[in-house]
Amino acid sequence: MRPENVETAYRRWAPIYDRTFGAVTQTARRRAVAVLNERPGRVLEVGCGTGLALPFYAEGQRVTGIDFSADMLVKAKARVANHRLGAVEALLRMDARQLDFADASFDQVAAMHVLSVVPEPSRVLSEIVRVLRPGGRLVVSNHFRRERGAQALAERLLAPFSETVGWHSDFAFEAVAETPGLVVERRQRMPPLGAMTLAVLKRA
Ligand SMILES: C[S@@+](CC[C@H](N)C(=O)[O-])C[C@H]1O[C@@H](n2cnc3c(N)ncnc32)[C@H](O)[C@@H]1O
């Protein structure tokens, strides 16, 4: 998506996100954060949106969330204040294609339902690799393209409308798995109906 379209699309999504896409993907988010909680440390959540994942971080985590959409971030900030989420250190407006952090500053990065949304996902992934410390982990929750069946057909039919709906329905797992500097450690299907994938990748 083009950056200006991200702003527009997520201005429309912000008021309804938690009750729609956010609600049906909450199990996936909870499981991804459970994986992150295996290792306490500094976590960057890229494209944190309305902050639906933030309440799941365990004490001892030090979480920074970034997002391009001011409207989504307003919701995330309200959630942190209302629930007094001590694990969240900062929520910042930032473009994931150009992260304003030093090299190797995070132990883990979370990318939940964001890699198929961002403009230039390969640029975002190389920024993620840069800010991860060697041995650190990228935990991804996302829908990836299917090769066969009714879902694959639906994904292909939706693909031309990505700028309007706010994400690319035909995003391929290889776009993540083949990122230089990352090695896939785990990959499993998640709800709803196995449509989401949880992937853990290690910074080589
Ligand atoms: C589908 S939402 C996912 C939000 C959250 N991770 C979740 O699981 O609910 C995608 C988010 O990515 C953000 N986004 C899109 N492009 C971005 C960019 N270049 N930099 C940072 N955030 C971006 C959008 O603003 C939106 O909040």
Side-chain angles (χ1 to χ4, degrees), residues 112-163:
M112 292 179 257
H113 318 119
V114 66
L115 293 173
S116 51
V117 170
V118 288
E120 302 181 275
S122 60
R123 196 168 147 194
V124 172
L125 282 157
S126 58
E127 276 293 88
I128 289 173
V129 171
R130 182 182 68 73
V131 301
L132 263 178
R133 68 162 173 77
R137 299 195 301 183
L138 167 62
V139 176
V140 176
S141 168
N142 215 92
H143 172 79
F144 293 106
R145 169 171 92 197
R146 301 282 177 93
E147 296 309 323
R148 285 180 291 280
Q151 273 198 24
L153 180 64
E155 288 158 10
R156 280 200 292 278
L157 291 174
L158 253 182
F161 304 102
S162 61
E163 299 287 332

Side-chain angles (χ1 to χ4, degrees), residues 6 10 17 21 29 45-50 52 66-69 72 94-97 112-114 117-119 124 167:
V6 169
Y10 283 92
Y17 185 87
F21 182 81
R29 222 170 264 111
E45 195 181 313
V46 173
C48 62
T50 62
L52 278 172
I66 67 119
D67 202 282
F68 194 70
S69 161
M72 296 291 269
M94 202 179 288
D95 188 342
R97 296 172 303 167
M112 292 179 257
H113 318 119
V114 66
V117 170
V118 288
V124 172
W167 67 83

